[in-house]
Amino acid sequence: MIYLGSKARIVGEILPIMLQSIHPGQAFVDAFCGGCNVVQHVPQEYKRIANDNNRYLIAMWKTITTTNWNPSTAISKAYYNNVRESWHKNDGKYSDAEIGWVGFMGSRNGRFFDGGFSGSTGGRDYINESVRNINKQIGQLQGVEWQTGSYDQIVIPPGSLIYCDPPYKGTTSYSTARNFDYDHFYDWARQLKRDGHIVYVSEYNMPGDFSCVWEKSIANSVNPTKTYTAVEKLWMV
Ligand SMILES: C[S@@+](CC[C@H](N)C(=O)[O-])C[C@H]1O[C@@H](n2cnc3c(N)ncnc32)[C@H](O)[C@@H]1O
C-alpha cells in the first residue's frame, strides 16, 4: 500500500536478514505495520501478527482481508470531505474500516487525511493507483492476526521476532504519533530482548546498545526536481 514511511523499496533486503533469526512456526510481529509493506512478504508458514495504533487502518486491513467487503473505489471529493468531517466529529456515521479506506485511498501520499484529497491530476489517477496497490496485497495478507493499540500493548507469543518501524525520530508526520516517547520505546525493546525475543528496528539512529546490521543510502524524491538521500538502517538489540 502506498504509505508514508513505506519500506516497500528495502523489504527485499531487510526481510531475509531478519528471517534468518526464526523458524517457520515462530511468530513474526510487525509492531508498527502501517501499509503492511513488510509483513505481506513474510511467508505464511510463520505466525504473522500485525499491529498499529491507527484503529481505522487496522479496521480497514482486517475487514478487507477477512470478509467479502467491496469498498467503493470511486472516492469523490464530496464523499471524502463527508467522511473526513465525520471522522473529526467522531459521530459514528461511517464504520472505522470505511474511514480508514477513504482516508488512506483518497489522501495524498497515503497520509490519512493529513495529506488532503489526492484525486487525479496531470494524467494520473492517484486513487486508482492506491486501490490497485492495496488489492495486490490482500492475497498475501491472508491469515495475519490483526491487533490495534500502542506497540507496548501487543500480545506477543514466546520466542517471537518483533520488527519495529516506528515514526522516525525528529519527524511528526503521523496524526497518531505526536509525542512518541522514544526512551520508553528503547526500554520496551530492551525488555523484550531480556524476555527471550528477537527485536529489529528500522531507524536512522539508535542508542549505543543497539547494533546496526544493515544500511543503505536511498534517494527519496520530494518532487520531480528535488531529491534527498537518506541512509536507511536496520538495528538489532
Ligand atoms: C513508518 S510507519 C510504518 C510503515 C510500514 N513499515 C510500511 O512499510 O508500510 C510507522 C507506523 O507507526 C504507527 N504508530 C505510531 N505510533 C505508534 C504506537 N505508539 N504504537 C503502534 N503504532 C504506532 C503509525 O500509525 C504508522 O503507521
Side-chain angles (χ1 to χ4, degrees):
M1 173 178 151
I2 297 165
Y3 201 84
L4 181 71
S6 163
K7 297 298 175 288
R9 287 201 292 165
I10 61 170
V11 62
E13 298 198 39
I14 62 174
L15 190 56
I17 296 172
M18 294 194 272
L19 289 181
Q20 282 171 9
S21 319
I22 51 169
H23 302 292
Q26 284 178 277
F28 183 101
V29 181
D30 193 342
F32 302 79
C33 70
C36 288
N37 295 296
V38 174
V39 69
Q40 76 172 106
H41 296 290
V42 176
Q44 298 193 3
E45 303 87 74
Y46 296 88
K47 178 173 174 54
R48 301 180 298 171
I49 297 172
N51 175 79
D52 200 281
N53 74 340
N54 185 328
R55 71 172 220 241
Y56 306 99
L57 174 76
I58 295 298
M60 178 194 76
W61 279 127
K62 194 172 179 176
T63 311
I64 209 162
T65 57
T66 62
T67 70
N68 293 327
W69 186 44
N70 250 330
S72 172
T73 54
I75 301 174
S76 66
K77 191 155 190 204
Y79 173 42
Y80 179 88
N81 286 340
N82 286 342
V83 176
R84 178 162 61 180
E85 197 185 317
S86 165
W87 165 66
H88 268 305
K89 288 191 195 153
N90 201 14
D91 61 11
K93 259 167 80 181
Y94 299 91
S95 69
D96 283 3
E98 188 169 358
I99 294 174
W101 174 261
V102 173
F104 283 107
M105 295 301 107
S107 300
R108 262 185 232 110
N109 303 319
R111 286 201 52 188
F112 191 55
F113 295 128
D114 284 343
F117 182 65
S118 59
S120 51
T121 43
R124 280 182 69 177
D125 183 340
Y126 292 102
I127 295 177
N128 190 32
E129 283 179 29
S130 292
V131 171
R132 273 188 291 140
N133 204 291
I134 198 171
N135 278 340
K136 283 194 242 150
Q137 292 178 280
I138 294 171
Q140 285 177 290
L141 291 169
Q142 295 303 307
V144 168
E145 178 189 318
W146 302 101
Q147 294 191 27
T148 184
S150 187
Y151 63 88
D152 52 1
Q153 303 299 313
I154 306 174
V155 180
I156 301 175
S160 295
L161 185 159
I162 298 104
Y163 170 60
C164 305
D165 185 17
Y168 285 141
K169 198 170 177 180
T171 63
T172 50
S173 315
Y174 304 90
S175 50
T176 53
R178 313 271 186 255
N179 309 318
F180 189 88
D181 182 342
Y182 286 89
D183 289 327
H184 178 68
F185 166 65
Y186 305 146
D187 285 342
W188 170 80
R190 292 173 180 125
Q191 185 58 47
L192 286 181
K193 159 89 176 163
R194 284 193 289 272
D195 291 344
H197 300 291
I198 296 153
V199 186
Y200 286 96
V201 183
S202 281
E203 243 299 4
Y204 291 145
N205 295 297
M206 289 293 284
D209 53 331
F210 291 74
S211 36
C212 180
V213 294
W214 174 91
E215 63 176 77
K216 189 173 189 178
S217 293
I218 303 278
N220 292 295
S221 54
V222 177
N223 61 46
T225 54
K226 194 173 168 205
T227 58
Y228 69 96
T229 302
V231 182
E232 296 286 340
K233 294 181 184 168
L234 183 70
W235 305 81
M236 202 179 183
V237 191

